[in-house]
Amino acid sequence: MAPLPDGFSYAEWNATYNGLSFGIAAMGSATIFLWLQLPNVTKSYRTALTITGIVTLIATYHYIRIFNSWSEAFTVASKDGGDYHVKLTGAPFNDGYRYVDWLLTVPLLLIELILVMKLPQEETVSLSWKLGLASALMVALGYPGEIQEDLSVRWFWWCLSMIPFCYVVFTLAVGLAESTSKQPSPAAASLVSAARYLTVLSWCTYPFVYMVKSVGLAGPAATMYEQVGYSIADVMAKAVFGVLIWAIASEKSAVEESGKLLPK
């Protein structure tokens, strides 16, 4: 990653610090909640719920690493009771943890949604492979641009990564509409729709955050907006999405246990 710019104000440093801390708390608490709920859903949905917890656990680990890296990159001190001053220590801030995290968790996020929808096996396998590979390709194509300062290079890789991005978003928003309508209850269908559109909404924030450094913003402010923006998007796409996956699994388990699900 490129060296951090100098000149951070305490407010800019603190906003990033708190954003990363929020990510740790949200991901960690979601992991505990999701795995505690495993006995409360039927066996056929436990794999999806387990994967959801794995996603938030991986994210928790990487947020701890990013948080520690951010803390080690700065010294924050107040002299004689005055304002806090932020200075670089010279230690690198490794934001590459985000891309390692996304490469692991983004395909799993899509797979867990497919699993909890309980589609026919052939369709489940096909969609899992297509969406998983497309999302991994999107992350892989985005990373070379993220580590560049040259705006033309950043835009080039952004455009390439948007190709698989658009395929995944289109599949979620349009391609799964018919399958959503076939869910066993109106509540389940509504929750699946909410999960699909939450994924689309949260995903659409990533390209805009990625562009922060490509639209004239630079220096500490750009870094702050980028880190806080990615943290909010991650919490929506993983922790909040995970709770929705649990809600779908819980609703469908209740329907199946009550005998309302028609036999195939």
Side-chain angles (χ1 to χ4, degrees):
M1 304 301 290
L4 285 168
D6 203 357
F8 276 87
S9 67
Y10 177 67
E12 291 167 335
W13 175 87
N14 200 41
T16 304
Y17 183 94
N18 289 329
L20 296 172
S21 178
F22 172 67
I24 295 171
M27 303 297 186
S29 57
T31 302
I32 295 169
F33 171 78
L34 292 166
W35 283 351
L36 286 177
Q37 291 300 314
L38 278 171
N40 299 327
V41 300
T42 57
K43 186 177 180 180
S44 57
Y45 300 110
R46 288 175 188 168
T47 299
L49 207 58
T50 299
I51 292 174
T52 309
I54 291 173
V55 165
T56 51
L57 178 64
I58 293 172
T60 302
Y61 167 76
H62 284 112
Y63 264 85
I64 291 172
R65 297 301 300 268
I66 297 170
F67 178 86
N68 289 341
S69 183
W70 180 260
S71 299
E72 292 166 2
F74 297 91
T75 57
V76 182
S78 172
K79 186 177 181 180
D80 301 326
D83 294 337
Y84 285 102
H85 295 281
V86 180
K87 293 183 179 179
L88 294 174
T89 64
F93 172 56
N94 188 356
D95 195 26
Y97 289 122
R98 286 197 185 279
Y99 278 83
V100 175
D101 177 84
W102 292 338
L103 194 61
L104 294 171
T105 59
V106 171
L108 290 176
L109 283 169
L110 298 172
I111 291 170
E112 72 194 44
L113 176 60
I114 300 302
L115 288 174
V116 84
M117 290 180 70
K118 205 174 182 181
L119 304 172
Q121 183 175 1
E122 184 178 346
E123 187 177 359
T124 296
V125 172
S126 176
L127 280 171
S128 295
W129 275 107
K130 289 177 181 178
L131 294 179
L133 290 174
S135 60
L137 180 62
M138 174 192 70
V139 174
L141 289 173
Y143 182 69
E146 187 72 73
I147 61 175
Q148 295 291 327
E149 293 297 317
D150 188 320
L151 294 185
S152 62
V153 177
R154 287 181 65 86
W155 279 112
F156 172 77
W157 288 106
W158 181 87
C159 291
L160 285 183
S161 66
M162 287 300 291
I163 297 172
F165 172 88
C166 290
Y167 167 74
V168 174
V169 168
F170 177 81
T171 302
L172 289 172
V174 180
L176 292 177
E178 183 178 352
S179 298
T180 301
S181 65
K182 296 178 181 178
Q183 295 300 302
S185 72
S190 177
L191 287 167
V192 170
S193 291
R196 286 167 49 220
Y197 290 118
L198 173 66
T199 304
V200 171
L201 176 64
S202 62
W203 274 39
C204 285
T205 63
Y206 289 97
F208 290 104
V209 176
Y210 186 99
M211 288 189 295
V212 162
K213 294 179 179 178
S214 304
V215 292
L217 285 175
T223 300
M224 178 197 68
Y225 287 128
E226 183 180 58
Q227 294 301 319
V228 173
Y230 279 148
S231 298
I232 293 171
D234 276 347
V235 169
M236 289 176 59
K238 295 170 186 173
V240 177
F241 179 77
V243 173
L244 273 176
I245 292 295
W246 161 76
I248 295 167
S250 180
E251 168 64 21
K252 294 180 74 171
S253 295
V255 171
E256 291 180 6
E257 289 175 355
S258 66
K260 293 180 181 179
L261 186 62
L262 294 175
K264 293 183 180 180

